[in-house]
Every structure is written in C-alpha cells, then in structure tokens.
Amino acid sequence: QVQVVESGGGLVQAGGSLRLSCAASGRTFSSYGMGWFRVAPGKEREFVAAISRSGGITYYASSVKGRFTISRDNAKNTMYLQMNSLKPEDTAVYYCAARTSFNGDYYYTGSNEYAYWGQGTQVTVSS
C-alpha cells in the first residue's frame, strides 16, 4: 500500500505559475502509475494529467495541454505538476492518485483506475 500527500497549492494571479508536488511512501514508487485530478466548485472530479511508472509516457486533458507539465522523480518518490499560464477556471482542489502498474509502462486516465488518493491541495487563480 502507498500513501500520497500533495503540497504546493496556493493563491496565484491569472497568468502565473505554481508547482504541485506529490510525495509517496513505500519502496515501490517506481512500480506505480500516477495521476492528477481536480475538483472545481460545483463540478465533478476531472482528469488533469497522468504519467507512467517510468515517467516516459505522459498524457494530458485537452484543457491543460501545453500549459501543465507532469513529471516524476522515482529516486525521490515524488511526482510533480508544473502549472503555467494559470487561468481562473483552473481553480480547484487538486488530488494526487496512484495505482500499481506491474504489467507495463502505462498511463491511466480514469479516476476509478486509481486505488490511492491524497487529501488534496487547493489552487486558487484570481482574475
């Protein structure tokens, strides 16, 4: 089992940047596919970005592609989400998610595909 903890949220003006981090426990972090999701006020949970266990494969929601970058450092058991050119519509609670990926170097976009979730970190973008 793995525990994940997000950090790095905050308040930023439109056009600004933030970097979220997701620290994971356990010695098998490199075996886990990871992802970021978000929940905006009054909306359902939304997929943001995913990364394969090696970090070699990434995938983004169309709403963030070109502005956000997902990455991971398996030596530090940490995943990141670099968010640039932030917009007010990016305001949400951002969640880190993890799942085992022993069968291959895949990414996963469905929230029901992830077994482990963090507590979330608030990102607020002011106009």
Side-chain angles (χ1 to χ4, degrees), residues 48-71:
V48 175
I51 190 166
S52 65
R53 66 185 187 184
S54 73
I57 306 172
T58 59
Y59 187 80
Y60 299 90
S62 58
S63 58
V64 306
K65 192 172 184 179
R67 299 188 297 122
F68 291 10
T69 301
I70 189 172
S71 62

Side-chain angles (χ1 to χ4, degrees), residues 11-93:
L11 173 63
V12 64
Q13 289 188 330
S17 298
L18 280 175
R19 189 176 81 156
L20 305 183
S21 297
C22 172
S25 64
R27 296 177 292 177
T28 59
F29 179 71
S30 60
S31 299
Y32 285 81
M34 305 290 294
W36 289 99
F37 292 78
R38 65 187 182 186
V39 180
K43 295 187 177 182
E44 295 186 350
R45 183 162 50 192
E46 174 189 25
F47 167 78
V48 175
I51 190 166
S52 65
R53 66 185 187 184
S54 73
I57 306 172
T58 59
Y59 187 80
Y60 299 90
S62 58
S63 58
V64 306
K65 192 172 184 179
R67 299 188 297 122
F68 291 10
T69 301
I70 189 172
S71 62
R72 66 190 294 164
D73 185 338
N74 285 346
K76 295 182 178 179
N77 280 18
T78 304
M79 175 180 67
Y80 306 97
L81 186 68
Q82 178 66 44
M83 305 185 295
N84 299 329
S85 302
L86 282 162
K87 305 175 181 180
E89 51 263 44
D90 294 317
T91 295
V93 178

